[in-house]
Amino acid sequence: MDLCFPTPTDMFNVRVAVVLMHRDRLLLQGDHHYSFLVPPGGRCKLHETTSDAARREVAEELGCSAQIGRLLWLIENFFVLDERRVHELTFLYEAQLPTDYPHLEHEGDFLGAEDNPRLFYRWVPLSDLATTEVYPEVLRTRTGDLPVHMERVVVRS
């Protein structure tokens, strides 16, 4: 059971995501229904640790086993999406893809392992993050300067 509790007007969600960098690029996930990009990840399940959830999500979405590192940020996010008020906790982990991951050098968009045509992945140069619609916003300015210790960030939009 996903840790997502929707009502007709609101939703509480526990999300995990990973910061995957290769050279000077960050891997981001998009959805053709929205204009923004997010780091790969998804919902945590009941009785699943957030690091295990991050590992599972990478395996499901990218078809490989990533090395999950330290927790970088815990983000308490309050926003509106599709006319629903959302309260989301995002656990954002540092992670590393295997050196034989087939899309490490990919240019442009590509599909993930789930083969969901709605979702796509893209390597974005770190130099482009400041002008890219990326959430959580901390990735726009801090990806090149990851925190030494886990940081808590509260975002109200």
Side-chain angles (χ1 to χ4, degrees):
M1 176 171 124
D2 287 344
L3 291 179
C4 178
F5 306 100
T7 73
T9 59
D10 299 279
M11 179 169 54
F12 176 77
N13 189 41
V14 177
R15 185 172 192 275
V16 296
V18 291
V19 173
L20 291 166
M21 290 192 284
H22 180 65
R23 301 182 201 250
D24 64 342
R25 303 182 307 165
L26 174 67
L27 185 62
L28 294 172
Q29 177 187 61
D31 180 323
H32 289 294
H33 291 118
Y34 301 104
S35 61
F36 57 86
L37 300 171
V38 298
R43 293 183 172 136
C44 191
K45 295 187 179 299
L46 187 63
H47 303 296
E48 180 180 45
T49 68
T50 57
S51 59
D52 285 346
R55 189 172 296 103
R56 175 184 52 76
E57 285 292 338
V58 169
E60 289 174 2
E61 293 180 358
L62 300 175
C64 66
S65 61
Q67 180 180 358
I68 305 300
R70 62 197 171 94
L71 179 61
L72 299 170
W73 290 287
L74 169 56
I75 299 170
E76 295 184 65
N77 203 356
F78 301 86
F79 59 97
V80 176
L81 182 67
D82 297 333
E83 300 180 13
R84 182 181 277 174
R85 294 180 326 151
V86 180
H87 177 181
E88 182 174 82
L89 300 179
T90 300
F91 293 81
L92 196 50
Y93 284 89
E94 187 174 34
Q96 189 169 28
L97 290 169
T99 56
D100 62 349
Y101 181 65
H103 295 290
L104 277 181
E105 303 298 334
H106 196 95
E107 297 292 331
D109 297 348
F110 62 93
L111 291 178
E114 293 175 309
D115 220 19
N116 180 344
R118 184 173 154 176
L119 300 180
F120 62 91
Y121 297 86
R122 176 186 304 157
W123 289 103
V124 177
L126 298 183
S127 60
D128 292 351
L129 288 175
T131 58
T132 303
E133 189 178 5
V134 178
Y135 297 104
E137 291 176 347
V138 70
L139 292 175
R140 294 182 196 164
T141 57
R142 297 288 307 280
T143 303
D145 179 29
L146 298 177
V148 175
H149 303 287
M150 190 275 299
E151 294 179 358
R152 177 180 162 259
V153 177
V154 177
V155 179
R156 290 185 181 273
S157 45

